[in-house]
Amino acid sequence: MATAAALTELEQEITAPGEGLDRLRLVETPFVPEVRLHLAEDAIVWWARMEAAAGRPLAAPYWASAWAGGQALARYLLDHPGLVRDRRVLDLATGSGLVAIAAALAGARQVVANDIDPYAVAAVTVNARANRVDVTAQAGDLLDADIQVDLLLAGDVLYDGEMAARVLPFLRRAAAGGAQVLLGDPGRGHLSATGWETVVSYPVPTTEPSVDPAPRPVRVLRPA
């Protein structure tokens, strides 16, 4: 029910007339122009307006920005479609759905984009539609679950220590179970120096709120 309501709200936001910092716009992703996303002109301003309209606190709209780790991971998939083609893919903590959409564009057989935020799940739906790809948007917390996929993708999921303490063991278990795991990380300081190897590093611009948009190094990693 929450996801359906969030989808209705986002569809209304997308089609509503007007411009300004509190609007969503369909734009090319800076480092991955093959993918278009409905992003906030200013996510914090948009968040404030939506909370005022709802009359209650809402989860921070992480899905309304293109995070650097996700951009690096999406770029890598599109540049190396053989990693994805005909495979079952899970994009963990998907946010906008950027990485999932890139996997679908690269030829994945099945793509599931997972997030705990109903608005993120709704954003995946509208963004996949805008890019004309088939992505299954899934709500819920998977971090204590066992999963069966060929490729597990996680872009910019280590945003605080508490989250890293849950995500990293989950990624390890998935890798031990046979999944190929790729992590996009902009260096927030929550990843151990051991146990991971760098596949590639990119200078990635960002649309994150209140962050210098100048490119910064972002790594795509896999378990060592």
Side-chain angles (χ1 to χ4, degrees):
M1 180 67 73
T3 300
L7 178 58
T8 297
E9 286 187 52
L10 285 194
E11 289 175 333
Q12 291 172 345
E13 284 288 299
I14 289 166
T15 58
E19 298 180 353
L21 293 179
D22 64 342
R23 308 303 307 178
L24 298 177
R25 296 189 301 130
L26 182 61
V27 297
E28 291 183 351
T29 308
F31 198 59
V32 195
E34 299 95 326
V35 178
R36 298 189 302 160
L37 299 174
H38 292 92
L39 301 180
E41 186 76 18
D42 186 310
I44 295 174
V45 175
W46 186 88
W47 185 20
R49 178 170 65 80
M50 293 300 287
E51 284 194 324
R56 58 183 173 83
L58 299 175
Y62 296 121
W63 56 267
S65 301
W67 299 85
Q71 290 192 71
L73 195 49
R75 179 74 273 150
Y76 185 68
L77 298 179
L78 290 171
D79 289 346
H80 301 84
L83 293 169
V84 179
R85 190 174 297 118
D86 296 327
R87 305 185 78 188
R88 299 169 301 159
V89 176
L90 171 64
D91 179 22
L92 179 71
T94 187
S96 66
L98 167 60
V99 176
I101 291 167
L105 289 171
R109 172 160 55 93
Q110 179 187 60
V111 183
V112 175
N114 166 262
D115 207 288
I116 61 172
D117 182 357
Y119 283 95
V121 176
V124 170
T125 300
V126 297
N127 287 330
R129 187 185 301 159
N131 289 276
R132 300 182 180 180
V133 293
D134 184 13
V135 173
T136 299
Q138 178 192 73
D141 186 336
L142 298 181
L143 296 182
D144 295 319
D146 294 322
I147 61 165
Q148 298 295 322
V149 296
D150 301 313
L151 178 62
L152 174 57
L153 305 170
D156 224 322
V157 295
L158 307 180
Y159 47 80
D160 63 33
E162 182 179 353
M163 185 67 171
R166 293 195 65 205
V167 169
L168 290 172
F170 173 79
L171 298 181
R172 287 285 185 191
R173 290 197 308 273
Q180 182 177 2
V181 174
L182 291 174
L183 174 67
D185 184 65
R188 299 185 189 278
H190 302 295
L191 183 66
S192 170
T194 60
W196 294 85
E197 61 181 7
T198 300
V199 178
V200 68
S201 180
Y202 297 113
V204 181
T206 181
T207 65
E208 299 169 31
S210 303
V211 173
D212 184 347
R216 55 176 159 165
V218 180
R219 295 185 295 164
V220 174
L221 306 107
R222 63 189 171 204

